[in-house]
Coordinates of all heavy atoms in Angstrom, one line a residue:
M27 N 78.8 83.3 105.6 CA 79.0 83.5 107.0 C 80.5 83.8 107.3 O 81.4 83.1 106.8 CB 78.6 82.2 107.7 CG 78.5 82.3 109.2 SD 77.6 80.9 109.8 CE 78.3 80.7 111.4
A28 N 80.7 84.8 108.1 CA 82.1 85.2 108.4 C 82.7 84.2 109.4 O 82.1 83.8 110.4 CB 82.1 86.6 108.9
E29 N 84.0 84.0 109.2 CA 84.8 83.2 110.2 C 85.3 84.1 111.3 O 85.7 85.2 111.1 CB 85.9 82.5 109.5 CG 85.5 81.4 108.5 CD 86.7 80.7 107.9 OE1 87.7 80.5 108.7 OE2 86.6 80.3 106.8
V30 N 85.3 83.6 112.5 CA 85.8 84.4 113.7 C 87.1 83.8 114.2 O 87.2 82.5 114.4 CB 84.7 84.4 114.8 CG1 85.2 85.1 116.0 CG2 83.4 85.0 114.3
M31 N 88.0 84.6 114.4 CA 89.3 84.1 114.9 C 89.3 84.3 116.4 O 89.0 85.3 116.9 CB 90.5 85.0 114.3 CG 91.8 84.5 114.8 SD 93.2 85.5 114.1 CE 93.0 85.4 112.4
T32 N 89.7 83.2 117.1 CA 89.8 83.2 118.5 C 91.1 83.9 119.0 O 92.0 84.1 118.2 CB 89.7 81.8 119.1 OG1 90.9 81.1 118.7 CG2 88.5 81.1 118.7
D33 N 91.1 84.3 120.2 CA 92.3 85.0 120.8 C 93.5 84.0 120.7 O 94.6 84.4 120.5 CB 92.1 85.4 122.3 CG 91.1 86.6 122.4 OD1 90.9 87.2 121.4 OD2 90.6 86.8 123.5
K34 N 93.2 82.7 121.0 CA 94.3 81.7 120.9 C 94.9 81.6 119.5 O 96.1 81.5 119.4 CB 93.7 80.4 121.4 CG 94.8 79.3 121.6 CD 94.2 78.0 122.1 CE 95.3 77.0 122.3 NZ 94.7 75.7 122.9
Q35 N 94.0 81.6 118.5 CA 94.5 81.5 117.1 C 95.3 82.8 116.8 O 96.4 82.7 116.1 CB 93.3 81.4 116.1 CG 92.6 80.1 116.2 CD 91.3 80.1 115.4 OE1 90.6 81.0 115.4 NE2 91.1 78.9 114.8
F36 N 94.8 83.9 117.2 CA 95.5 85.2 116.9 C 96.9 85.2 117.6 O 97.9 85.6 117.0 CB 94.7 86.4 117.4 CG 95.3 87.7 117.1 CD1 95.3 88.3 115.8 CD2 95.9 88.4 118.1 CE1 95.9 89.5 115.6 CE2 96.5 89.6 117.9 CZ 96.5 90.2 116.6
D37 N 96.9 84.8 118.8 CA 98.2 84.7 119.6 C 99.2 83.8 118.9 O 100.4 84.1 118.8 CB 97.9 84.2 121.0 CG 99.2 84.4 121.9 OD1 99.8 85.4 121.9 OD2 99.5 83.4 122.6
K38 N 98.7 82.7 118.4 CA 99.6 81.7 117.7 C 100.2 82.3 116.4 O 101.4 82.2 116.1 CB 98.9 80.4 117.4 CG 99.8 79.3 116.9 CD 99.1 78.0 117.0 CE 100.1 76.9 116.8 NZ 99.8 75.7 117.5
I39 N 99.4 83.1 115.7 CA 99.8 83.7 114.5 C 100.9 84.8 114.8 O 101.9 84.9 114.1 CB 98.7 84.4 113.7 CG1 97.8 83.3 113.1 CG2 99.1 85.3 112.6 CD1 96.4 83.8 112.6
I40 N 100.7 85.6 115.8 CA 101.6 86.6 116.2 C 103.0 85.9 116.6 O 104.0 86.4 116.3 CB 101.1 87.4 117.4 CG1 99.9 88.2 116.9 CG2 102.2 88.4 118.0 CD1 100.1 89.2 115.8
K41 N 102.9 84.8 117.4 CA 104.1 84.1 117.8 C 104.9 83.6 116.5 O 106.1 83.6 116.5 CB 103.8 83.0 118.7 CG 103.4 83.4 120.1 CD 103.1 82.3 121.0 CE 102.7 82.8 122.4 NZ 102.2 81.7 123.3
M42 N 104.1 83.1 115.5 CA 104.8 82.6 114.3 C 105.5 83.7 113.6 O 106.6 83.6 113.1 CB 103.7 81.9 113.4 CG 103.2 80.6 114.0 SD 101.8 80.0 113.1 CE 102.4 79.7 111.5
I43 N 104.8 84.9 113.5 CA 105.4 86.0 112.8 C 106.7 86.4 113.6 O 107.7 86.8 112.9 CB 104.4 87.1 112.7 CG1 103.3 86.7 111.7 CG2 105.1 88.4 112.2 CD1 102.1 87.7 111.7
S44 N 106.6 86.5 114.9 CA 107.7 86.8 115.7 C 108.9 85.9 115.4 O 110.1 86.4 115.3 CB 107.4 86.8 117.2 OG 108.4 87.2 118.0
M45 N 108.7 84.6 115.3 CA 109.7 83.7 115.1 C 110.4 83.9 113.7 O 111.6 83.8 113.6 CB 109.2 82.2 115.2 CG 108.8 81.8 116.6 SD 107.9 80.3 116.7 CE 109.2 79.1 116.2
I46 N 109.6 84.2 112.7 CA 110.1 84.5 111.4 C 111.0 85.7 111.4 O 112.1 85.7 110.9 CB 108.9 84.7 110.4 CG1 108.2 83.4 110.1 CG2 109.5 85.3 109.1 CD1 106.8 83.6 109.4
L47 N 110.5 86.8 112.1 CA 111.3 88.0 112.1 C 112.5 87.9 113.0 O 113.5 88.6 112.7 CB 110.4 89.2 112.7 CG 109.1 89.5 111.9 CD1 108.4 90.6 112.5 CD2 109.5 89.9 110.4
D48 N 112.6 87.1 114.0 CA 113.8 86.9 114.8 C 114.9 86.4 113.9 O 116.1 86.7 114.2 CB 113.5 85.9 115.9 CG 112.8 86.5 117.1 OD1 112.7 87.8 117.1 OD2 112.3 85.8 117.9
G49 N 114.7 85.6 112.9 CA 115.7 85.1 112.1 C 116.2 86.0 110.9 O 117.0 85.6 110.1
C50 N 115.6 87.2 110.9 CA 115.9 88.1 109.7 C 117.0 89.1 110.1 O 117.1 89.6 111.3 CB 114.7 88.9 109.3 SG 113.4 87.8 108.7
K51 N 117.9 89.4 109.1 CA 119.0 90.3 109.4 C 118.5 91.8 109.2 O 119.1 92.7 109.9 CB 120.1 90.1 108.4 CG 120.7 88.7 108.5 CD 121.7 88.4 107.4 CE 122.1 87.0 107.4 NZ 122.2 86.4 106.1
D52 N 117.6 92.0 108.3 CA 117.1 93.4 108.1 C 115.7 93.4 107.6 O 115.0 92.3 107.4 CB 118.0 94.1 107.0 CG 118.1 93.3 105.7 OD1 117.2 92.5 105.4 OD2 119.0 93.6 105.0
L53 N 115.1 94.6 107.4 CA 113.7 94.8 107.1 C 113.4 94.1 105.7 O 112.4 93.5 105.5 CB 113.4 96.2 107.0 CG 111.9 96.6 106.7 CD1 111.0 96.0 107.7 CD2 111.7 98.1 106.7
D54 N 114.3 94.2 104.7 CA 114.0 93.7 103.4 C 113.9 92.2 103.5 O 113.1 91.6 102.8 CB 115.2 94.1 102.4 CG 115.1 95.5 102.0 OD1 114.0 96.1 102.1 OD2 116.1 96.1 101.7
E55 N 114.8 91.5 104.3 CA 114.7 90.1 104.4 C 113.4 89.7 105.1 O 112.7 88.7 104.7 CB 115.9 89.5 105.2 CG 115.9 88.0 105.3 CD 117.1 87.5 106.1 OE1 117.9 88.2 106.5 OE2 117.1 86.2 106.3
A56 N 113.0 90.4 106.1 CA 111.7 90.2 106.8 C 110.5 90.3 105.8 O 109.6 89.4 105.8 CB 111.6 91.1 108.0
K57 N 110.5 91.3 105.0 CA 109.4 91.6 104.1 C 109.4 90.4 103.1 O 108.3 89.9 102.7 CB 109.6 92.9 103.3 CG 109.3 94.1 104.1 CD 109.5 95.3 103.3 CE 109.3 96.6 104.1 NZ 109.5 97.8 103.2
K58 N 110.5 90.0 102.6 CA 110.6 88.9 101.6 C 110.0 87.6 102.2 O 109.2 86.9 101.6 CB 112.0 88.6 101.2 CG 112.2 87.6 100.2 CD 113.6 87.4 99.7 CE 113.8 86.3 98.8 NZ 115.2 86.0 98.4
K59 N 110.4 87.3 103.5 CA 109.9 86.0 104.1 C 108.4 86.1 104.3 O 107.7 85.1 104.1 CB 110.6 85.8 105.4 CG 112.0 85.3 105.3 CD 112.6 85.0 106.6 CE 114.1 84.4 106.5 NZ 114.6 84.0 107.7
V60 N 107.9 87.2 104.8 CA 106.5 87.3 105.0 C 105.7 87.2 103.7 O 104.7 86.6 103.6 CB 106.1 88.6 105.8 CG1 104.6 88.8 105.8 CG2 106.7 88.5 107.2
N61 N 106.3 87.9 102.7 CA 105.6 87.8 101.3 C 105.6 86.4 100.8 O 104.6 86.0 100.1 CB 106.4 88.8 100.4 CG 105.7 89.1 99.1 OD1 104.5 89.1 99.1 ND2 106.4 89.3 98.1
E62 N 106.6 85.6 101.0 CA 106.6 84.2 100.5 C 105.5 83.4 101.2 O 105.1 82.4 100.6 CB 108.0 83.6 100.8 CG 109.1 84.2 99.9 CD 110.5 83.6 100.3 OE1 110.6 82.9 101.3 OE2 111.4 84.0 99.6
L63 N 105.1 83.7 102.4 CA 104.1 83.0 103.1 C 102.7 83.4 102.7 O 101.7 82.7 103.0 CB 104.3 83.1 104.6 CG 105.6 82.5 105.1 CD1 105.8 82.8 106.6 CD2 105.6 81.0 104.9
S64 N 102.6 84.6 102.1 CA 101.3 85.1 101.8 C 100.6 84.4 100.6 O 101.3 84.0 99.7 CB 101.4 86.6 101.4 OG 100.2 87.1 101.0
D65 N 99.3 84.2 100.6 CA 98.6 83.7 99.5 C 98.6 84.6 98.3 O 98.5 84.1 97.1 CB 97.1 83.3 99.9 CG 97.0 82.1 100.8 OD1 98.0 81.3 100.8 OD2 96.0 82.0 101.4
T66 N 98.6 85.9 98.5 CA 98.6 86.9 97.5 C 99.9 87.8 97.6 O 99.8 88.8 98.2 CB 97.4 87.8 97.5 OG1 97.3 88.3 98.8 CG2 96.1 86.9 97.2
P67 N 101.0 87.3 97.1 CA 102.3 88.0 97.2 C 102.2 89.4 96.6 O 101.6 89.5 95.5 CB 103.3 87.1 96.5 CG 102.7 85.8 96.3 CD 101.2 86.0 96.4
R68 N 102.8 90.4 97.2 CA 102.8 91.7 96.6 C 104.1 91.9 95.9 O 105.2 91.3 96.3 CB 102.8 92.8 97.8 CG 101.5 92.7 98.5 CD 101.4 93.8 99.5 NE 102.6 93.8 100.4 CZ 102.7 94.5 101.5 NH1 101.8 95.3 101.8 NH2 103.8 94.4 102.2
K69 N 104.1 92.7 94.9 CA 105.4 92.9 94.1 C 106.3 93.8 95.0 O 105.8 94.7 95.6 CB 105.1 93.7 92.8 CG 104.5 92.8 91.8 CD 104.4 93.5 90.4 CE 103.9 92.6 89.4 NZ 103.9 93.2 88.1
E70 N 107.5 93.5 94.9 CA 108.5 94.3 95.7 C 108.9 95.5 94.9 O 108.9 95.4 93.6 CB 109.8 93.5 96.0 CG 109.6 92.3 96.9 CD 110.9 91.5 97.2 OE1 111.9 92.1 97.0 OE2 110.8 90.4 97.5
K71 N 109.1 96.6 95.6 CA 109.5 97.8 94.9 C 110.9 97.7 94.3 O 111.8 97.2 95.0 CB 109.4 99.0 95.8 CG 108.0 99.4 96.3 CD 108.0 100.6 97.2 CE 106.7 100.9 97.7 NZ 106.7 102.0 98.6
E72 N 111.1 98.1 93.1 CA 112.4 98.0 92.5 C 113.1 99.4 92.8 O 112.6 100.4 92.4 CB 112.3 97.8 91.0 CG 111.8 96.4 90.7 CD 111.8 96.1 89.2 OE1 112.5 96.7 88.5 OE2 111.0 95.2 88.8
A73 N 114.2 99.3 93.4 CA 114.9 100.6 93.8 C 116.2 100.7 93.0 O 116.8 99.7 92.6 CB 115.2 100.6 95.3

């Protein structure tokens, strides 16, 4: 059975992401922070 996300839950997640991004200096730092919170972290591209 699929779980359904309510509008309130979705709004809370968006606010949390916004708070994380507000404290970031650049895109790479933002990507790193979001990746650390993920259950399945993605490998960062090596440049």
Side-chain angles (χ1 to χ4, degrees):
M27 190 166 153
E29 293 184 33
V30 177
M31 182 182 304
T32 65
D33 289 345
K34 187 175 180 179
Q35 290 169 322
F36 182 77
D37 188 50
K38 189 163 193 147
I39 290 170
I40 296 298
K41 286 179 182 176
M42 290 168 63
I43 293 170
S44 179
M45 290 171 69
I46 292 167
L47 298 179
D48 282 345
C50 296
K51 297 174 193 140
D52 57 22
L53 182 59
D54 288 332
E55 184 180 355
K57 286 180 181 180
K58 182 179 176 186
K59 285 185 177 186
V60 171
N61 194 32
E62 288 173 359
L63 295 173
S64 174
D65 286 340
T66 54
R68 298 184 305 188
K69 286 189 176 185
E70 293 182 23
K71 292 181 183 177
E72 293 184 22

